[in-house]
Amino acid sequence: MTFSLHGIGASKGIAIGQVSLVERSQLEVREYTVAPAWVEAEVARYQRAVDDAKEQVRRLRQRLPRHLFSQVGAFIDVHLLMLEDDAIAGAPVRRIRERFCNAEWALKLERDALVAAFEAIDDAYLRARRDDVEHAVGRVQQILAEQVSAQISNTEGTQAPPRPAVDTARHAGRVVCADDLTPADTVLMQYQGVLAFVTEYGGPNSHTAILARSLRLPAVVGLHSGLQYLRDGDEVIVDGRHGVVLVAPGGRAIDYYRSRQDQIARHHAVRRKLLRTPCVTLDGERIGLQANVELGKDIADATQVNADGVGLYRTEFMFMNRAEPPGEAEQFHAYRAVVDAMNGAPVTIRTLDLGADKQVDGVRPGAPEAANPALGLRAVRLCLREPGLFKAQLRAIARVSAYGRVRMMVPMVAVVEELLQVHSMLQQCREELATEGVAFDANMPVGAMIEVPAAAICADLFARNSDFLSIGTNDLIQYTIAIDRIDDEVNYLYDPLNPAVLRLVQGVIKAGHSAGIPVAMCGEMAGDSRYTRLLLGLGLKEFSVQPNALLEVKQVIVNAHVGRLRKLVQRVMRAHKPASRKALVAQLNQPA
Ligand code: PEP
Ligand code: MG
């Protein structure tokens, strides 16, 4: 029977394929007793599962593309260590022998004991280790579940059938369906050849959703209890634009969505013709169109679409999926690779924006968990609290500024003092480098991201202390409307057209221009072509967008007449009623 599940479209595109359910070690584990004569067979079964898990992890490591090594390699190593540790390799074996229980149950008991121990210690660093335990245990449980139990076969008096080969690329070519995925999970998925993903929780502006768009993976989030209706291997169609998952689709539906896939491919082909077209509006305004990058592969995508530069380099992704943060040298080489690849075009390196939904291991071991992480020690706040960590990054950025047109951008500033502190730490780093005889560009522009309402309201103050401003609408919307961007329950309020948001955006653009500095926008609003004309009419001249949205936005820009848009946008800004504002935006989006 065909039926549809509805969530929030988080990354457009259509995928047709089979479901791969990820149950994050929540596999239901049954307990049963193993006859004494079969205990050693059960032990052997367990040990084979652990060996298979290690083999899976080793193969993942071998197949890891070089550019992902810094992001993922250390994470994989931690998993391998976990699988070799006595807690997984030895203790469950002893439990099987002592309790005459099945392998799954022995592993579950060990996992429960480990998790209880971690929770008792109440240490954030160890809690992160607990997640590693969950991942490693989940992998072994998954393999055990896939095996045909020799013990059950024995009780039925039959020969144990051969174990199925372990599927090392379980998600390849499939639609991953999970309760939730972290940005780190999503990074790992990209090299597993996943077709699309569907999650129960999460908002369309979470970092996980942003990554999905950057990876061109169709994604639907916030499906609520939809996952219970899906089974591993079900045929589904994922419509990432409309947030629909069609389960067991019939032939006509498949034909329809295949024709939509062809249509999307044709649109891409048409847009590729714009590659060499200058990004100039019909009335002659040159608009800057830069790229947002977070993963190594985005750089190639950015150059392929002829981006004017990198307007946002999210450096924190280099810190994910590893036990220790990268040091100055590793960061310098990573930044240098981006600067070299951009071949003289500007590269805006954003200082670390860790915290909230981007939690990583090893940065603040022992720190208590915040009750409201989005309002807590995030981004520049965390950097200023951890000067050792921050200085390594500032030195790496300063050093790389000697090799290209590097700009540095500070996220989440709420008070000007934070910006001034960053300036002073950067100055210290430059003095150290000068003493060491290391080259840097003393005139590297330093800008502020405007993504907290306090900064937007006082944009003139920030403008006076910055070389440029960049509006981060993802957070600006979150903090202005007081809605957690990863919470699908309040996603209905997440509206870039909210008048409060539009007034703040307009104010920031004006403040920057009055101070004579460039103002860019690098939040997702900049890459959504439904808002391009509105932003042009508000006076925005620099957009930084995901590489795969760049040509779509360019298509709108080169067909827009800014002079006419300005007048219409004034009407949008004056509209009292939501319906009339929407109607005016629709009017605005009619081609000139
Ligand atoms: C933003 O908040 O708009 C932004 C670009 O930063 P991030 O999405 O990484 O928080
Ligand atoms: Mg932000």
Side-chain angles (χ1 to χ4, degrees):
M1 183 189 69
T2 304
F3 60 96
S4 60
L5 300 170
H6 295 259
I8 303 164
S11 175
K12 45 186 195 191
I14 288 162
I16 305 176
Q18 285 183 335
V19 165
S20 194
L21 272 185
V22 178
E23 292 185 59
R24 284 197 153 277
S25 71
Q26 287 166 7
L27 293 169
E28 230 178 88
V29 176
R30 280 191 312 124
E31 178 185 15
Y32 55 87
T33 307
V34 177
W38 285 94
V39 162
E40 287 313 310
E42 191 63 8
V43 166
R45 184 170 83 90
Y46 178 72
Q47 286 169 334
R48 275 199 310 272
V50 175
D51 287 347
D52 285 349
K54 286 194 284 196
E55 187 52 31
Q56 279 187 1
V57 175
R58 282 194 205 103
R59 280 201 222 156
L60 281 180
R61 201 177 196 291
Q62 277 163 10
R63 297 203 323 229
L64 204 57
R66 278 173 65 85
H67 68 272
L68 278 179
F69 227 89
S70 63
Q71 293 150 354
V72 185
F75 174 71
I76 291 183
D77 287 346
V78 170
H79 279 201
L80 208 52
L81 284 175
M82 290 275 171
L83 289 166
E84 281 163 0
D85 192 89
D86 183 65
I88 291 183
V93 168
R94 293 194 287 279
R95 285 187 193 267
I96 296 171
R97 290 192 175 127
E98 282 159 18
R99 295 177 59 112
F100 299 99
C101 66
N102 54 318
E104 292 87 344
W105 193 251
L107 179 58
K108 179 197 176 320
L109 292 180
E110 195 54 36
R111 174 249 170 226
D112 291 350
L114 283 169
V115 167
F118 283 131
E119 273 166 8
I121 293 170
D122 190 25
D123 174 308
Y125 180 69
L126 289 177
R127 266 199 302 278
R129 297 276 71 73
R130 193 193 77 171
D131 285 350
D132 291 328
V133 171
E134 294 277 28
H135 278 115
V137 167
R139 188 177 286 280
V140 180
Q141 288 289 22
Q142 187 72 49
I143 294 170
L144 286 168
E146 284 166 9
Q147 287 177 347
V148 178
S149 161
Q151 195 270 335
I152 289 175
S153 304
N154 175 62
T155 55
E156 288 169 2
T158 57
Q159 181 79 28
R163 280 183 311 112
V166 172
D167 179 6
T168 50
R170 214 171 82 76
H171 305 310
R174 291 179 141 216
V175 173
V176 167
C177 300
D179 49 1
D180 200 5
L181 292 169
T182 65
D185 291 328
T186 317
V187 173
L188 281 172
M189 262 185 205
Q190 73 167 327
Y191 66 90
Q192 293 185 328
V194 165
L195 282 184
F197 75 73
V198 172
T199 61
E200 295 258 290
Y201 307 108
N205 288 293
S206 66
H207 289 96
T208 302
I210 292 174
L211 264 178
R213 293 195 278 276
S214 127
L215 296 170
R216 290 199 177 89
L217 285 178
V220 175
V221 299
L223 213 63
H224 290 278
S225 40
L227 229 57
Q228 63 183 300
Y229 303 109
L230 294 175
R231 300 280 168 270
D232 221 34
D234 276 353
E235 195 73 37
V236 288
I237 295 176
V238 179
D239 178 346
R241 180 188 279 276
H242 298 105
V244 176
V245 180
L246 216 57
V247 188
R252 281 176 65 186
I254 293 181
D255 288 348
Y256 168 74
Y257 278 100
R258 285 216 194 288
S259 73
R260 289 265 317 274
Q261 279 178 321
D262 292 345
Q263 198 182 21
I264 293 170
R266 281 198 298 279
H267 282 153
H268 276 308
V270 169
R271 288 192 191 116
R272 293 201 72 75
K273 295 199 178 125
L274 289 173
L275 274 176
R276 314 248 162 258
T277 310
C279 192
V280 176
T281 64
L282 293 176
D283 49 344
E285 281 236 34
R286 173 79 174 89
I287 303 294
L289 200 41
Q290 301 199 340
N292 291 354
V293 301
E294 42 255 359
L295 306 171
K297 71 148 208 51
D298 297 337
I299 314 297
D301 292 350
T303 52
Q304 268 167 25
V305 291
N306 279 342
D308 292 330
V310 170
L312 166 64
Y313 175 8
R314 289 183 166 99
T315 54
E316 55 279 359
F317 283 89
M318 198 196 315
F319 287 63
M320 285 178 190
N321 292 325
R322 52 191 294 158
E324 299 288 335
E328 176 187 326
E330 188 180 335
Q331 291 186 56
F332 167 74
H333 289 300
Y335 305 156
R336 173 88 198 264
V338 176
V339 169
D340 288 351
M342 290 312 291
N343 204 16
V347 173
T348 312
I349 303 179
R350 178 172 77 178
T351 57
L352 271 177
D353 183 3
L354 287 173
D357 62 334
K358 285 180 286 194
Q359 299 291 344
V360 297
D361 298 347
V363 165
R364 298 196 78 226
E369 207 169 294
N372 290 307
L375 301 180
L377 209 54
R378 185 189 157 185
V380 69
R381 304 171 183 183
L382 185 137
C383 287
L384 292 173
R385 186 68 67 84
E386 297 292 333
L389 176 85
F390 195 30
K391 274 184 78 180
Q393 179 169 51
L394 293 178
R395 281 176 58 100
I397 297 175
R399 281 170 58 191
V400 83
S401 70
Y403 295 88
R405 286 170 63 197
V406 174
R407 312 195 307 170
M408 187 179 104
M409 177 159 88
V410 189
M412 279 281 293
V413 281
V415 292
V416 175
E417 286 80 350
E418 286 167 330
L419 201 54
L420 299 180
Q421 268 179 282
V422 175
H423 279 289
S424 128
M425 282 179 75
L426 178 65
Q427 189 49 29
Q428 274 173 32
C429 293
R430 284 171 169 162
E431 283 162 17
E432 283 169 21
L433 291 172
T435 316
E436 294 161 26
V438 179
F440 59 88
D441 171 10
N443 297 315
M444 172 180 72
V446 179
M449 259 188 98
I450 304 296
E451 48 184 351
V452 175
I457 293 165
C458 296
D460 56 327
L461 305 183
F462 285 85
R464 274 188 226 142
N465 292 284
S466 306
D467 297 314
F468 63 93
L469 300 180
S470 186
I471 308 173
T473 48
N474 309 338
D475 281 313
L476 187 60
I477 296 171
Q478 148 165 277
Y479 295 121
T480 303
I481 313 179
I483 39 168
D484 189 340
R485 65 196 259 192
I486 63 173
D487 186 345
D488 51 290
E489 300 277 8
V490 288
N491 179 64
Y492 68 97
L493 283 168
Y494 198 100
D495 180 12
L497 298 179
N498 179 301
V501 172
L502 292 185
R503 285 185 195 181
L504 290 179
V505 167
Q506 187 178 41
V508 176
I509 296 172
K510 277 191 184 152
H513 291 168
S514 319
I517 60 168
V519 180
M521 179 180 285
C522 62
E524 293 297 290
M525 185 178 182
D528 188 329
S529 59
R530 289 172 301 175
Y531 308 124
T532 309
R533 286 164 182 271
L534 175 79
L535 294 172
L536 287 170
L538 283 174
L540 190 72
K541 292 186 172 46
E542 287 191 21
F543 293 65
S544 187
V545 308
Q546 292 212 353
N548 56 26
L550 192 139
L551 292 178
E552 194 174 328
V553 172
K554 189 173 189 179
Q555 194 173 33
V556 179
I557 293 174
V558 298
N559 288 302
H561 189 291
V562 179
R564 285 184 208 138
L565 290 175
R566 272 200 199 109
K567 292 184 198 118
L568 255 174
V569 166
Q570 289 323 313
R571 288 179 59 200
V572 174
M573 298 302 284
R574 285 196 299 266
H576 300 295
K577 296 200 173 108
S580 52
R581 200 169 46 250
K582 279 209 174 89
L584 282 165
V585 173
Q587 194 183 333
L588 196 66
N589 281 338
Q590 299 302 314

